[in-house]
């Protein structure tokens, strides 16, 4: 498992999209997307070892060099302040991180807020720069419930289609940052495995160029 390129792939919905892109640039390895509990896959033909990890852990595997490269949402890179090279934007997994809450909450009049979020660092940095003081309550999912049950005044969460907010009678007050999936590399691997890492980068870029033509 030491030679070749070690690749951290996100599990789940995003993983499927990333896998489709890898297939398009000539690196299909069908076993990965088959239903099983297997987490490590060796593609001997291309010299790749794939790790299937939680999307929020991809950057950690890459930062510490357990994986040479990975595919990860920009939200995770910002939240973890990941020390990796961000090589390109895949243009998938597009969404926004927003401040949202109940429609009748006077967000713009408040200088102090209780904020529920899975992004404590992004939230703290954002409200510090906008001059509001905050109490951060960290949750791990279904964040939209927090303002409904008065756990928080607002939430900072991913908004993709806006359906979850709408169906829970919440609205966006402010957008913090837009997000998409990035191709990342470990900084040491980028030097020592530059040929392989750059080859994938070139193929990803040419796929994007072909799409834009
Ligand atoms: C994410 C996010 C929102 C939802 C937004 O949740 O936390 O809840 O997607 O998508 P929408 O704008 O298209 O409705 P996810 O489905 O990942 O599950 P989670 O609530 O467990 O985080």
């Amino acid at each position: 498992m030491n030679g070749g390129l070690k690749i951290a792939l996100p599990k789940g919905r995003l993983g499927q999209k990333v896998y489709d892109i890898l297939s398009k640039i000539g690196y299909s390895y069908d076993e990965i997307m088959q239903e099983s509990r297997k987490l490590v896959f060796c593609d001997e033909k291309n010299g790749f070892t794939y790790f299937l990890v939680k999307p929020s852990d991809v950057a950690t595997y890459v930062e510490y060099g357990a994986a040479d490269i990975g595919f990860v949402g920009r939200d995770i890179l910002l939240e973890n302040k990941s020390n990796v090279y961000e090589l390109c934007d895949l243009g998938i997994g597009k969404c926004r991180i927003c401040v949202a809450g109940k429609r009748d909450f006077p967000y713009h009049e408040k200088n102090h807020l209780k904020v529920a979020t899975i992004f404590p660092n992004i939230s703290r940095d954002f409200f510090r720069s906008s001059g509001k003081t905050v109490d951060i309550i960290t949750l791990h999912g279904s964040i939209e419930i927090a303002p409904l049950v008065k756990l928080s005044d607002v939430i900072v969460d991913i908004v993709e289609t806006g359906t979850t907010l709408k169906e829970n009678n919440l609205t966006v007050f402010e957008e913090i940052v837009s997000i998409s999936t990035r191709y990342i590399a470990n900084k040491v691997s980028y030097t020592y495995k530059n040929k392989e890492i750059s080859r994938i980068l070139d193929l990803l870029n040419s796929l994007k160029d072909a799409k834009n033509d």
Side-chain angles (χ1 to χ4, degrees):
M1 208 187 277
N2 290 326
L5 209 57
K6 292 171 284 177
I7 305 175
L9 275 187
K11 288 204 267 190
R13 270 184 297 174
L14 180 62
Q16 180 66 56
K17 288 183 185 170
V18 169
Y19 181 73
D20 290 346
I21 288 183
L22 288 176
S23 299
K24 280 186 191 151
I25 62 169
Y27 297 120
S28 58
Y29 192 72
D30 287 347
E31 206 191 322
I32 295 175
M33 284 299 132
Q34 283 162 14
E35 285 291 319
S36 83
R37 302 295 294 168
K38 205 171 158 180
L39 299 170
V40 179
F41 299 87
C42 294
D43 173 0
E44 283 171 18
K45 189 179 90 186
N46 291 305
F48 292 169
T49 303
Y50 294 101
F51 307 141
L52 277 191
V53 306
K54 249 181 106 91
S56 53
D57 291 337
V58 166
T60 306
Y61 280 83
V62 174
E63 181 171 350
Y64 287 94
D68 300 304
I69 59 170
F71 300 90
V72 62
R74 186 170 174 232
D75 50 333
I76 306 302
L77 298 176
L78 294 173
E79 179 61 25
N80 295 356
K81 301 184 199 298
S82 305
N83 187 17
V84 295
Y85 287 136
E86 209 178 303
L87 301 178
C88 81
D89 182 349
L90 268 62
I92 56 169
K94 287 185 181 170
C95 54
R96 305 173 289 153
I97 295 181
C98 295
V99 185
K102 287 171 78 173
R103 291 171 197 285
D104 59 359
F105 181 74
Y107 171 69
H108 295 286
E109 293 160 30
K110 297 282 184 181
N111 292 318
H112 182 84
L113 294 165
K114 274 195 289 178
V115 181
T117 187
I118 49 169
F119 302 116
N121 293 325
I122 293 173
S123 303
R124 214 171 276 119
D125 291 350
F126 173 73
F127 287 113
R128 188 179 296 128
S129 70
S130 60
K132 292 184 196 277
T133 57
V134 288
D135 292 325
I136 302 281
I137 300 159
T138 302
L139 298 175
H140 300 94
S142 303
I143 313 294
E144 289 83 357
I145 296 170
L148 300 178
V149 299
K150 298 189 171 58
L151 176 64
S152 71
D153 299 320
V154 296
I155 60 173
V156 168
D157 196 15
I158 296 280
V159 179
E160 192 179 346
T161 61
T163 309
T164 312
L165 289 182
K166 203 168 157 212
E167 292 194 357
N168 291 288
N169 293 315
L170 301 174
T171 191
V172 170
F173 294 130
E174 205 165 355
E175 179 175 330
I176 298 181
V177 67
S178 59
I179 300 297
S180 58
T181 306
R182 307 300 160 104
Y183 171 40
I184 60 168
N186 171 271
K187 290 188 168 178
V188 175
S189 303
Y190 186 74
T191 303
Y192 289 100
K193 299 186 181 180
N194 190 274
K195 203 171 134 217
E196 300 93 317
I197 293 172
S198 297
R199 179 171 159 71
I200 293 174
L201 179 61
D202 291 344
L203 289 166
L204 291 171
N205 281 332
S206 49
L207 188 69
K208 275 200 296 187
D209 292 345
K211 228 171 149 189
N212 294 333
D213 282 346

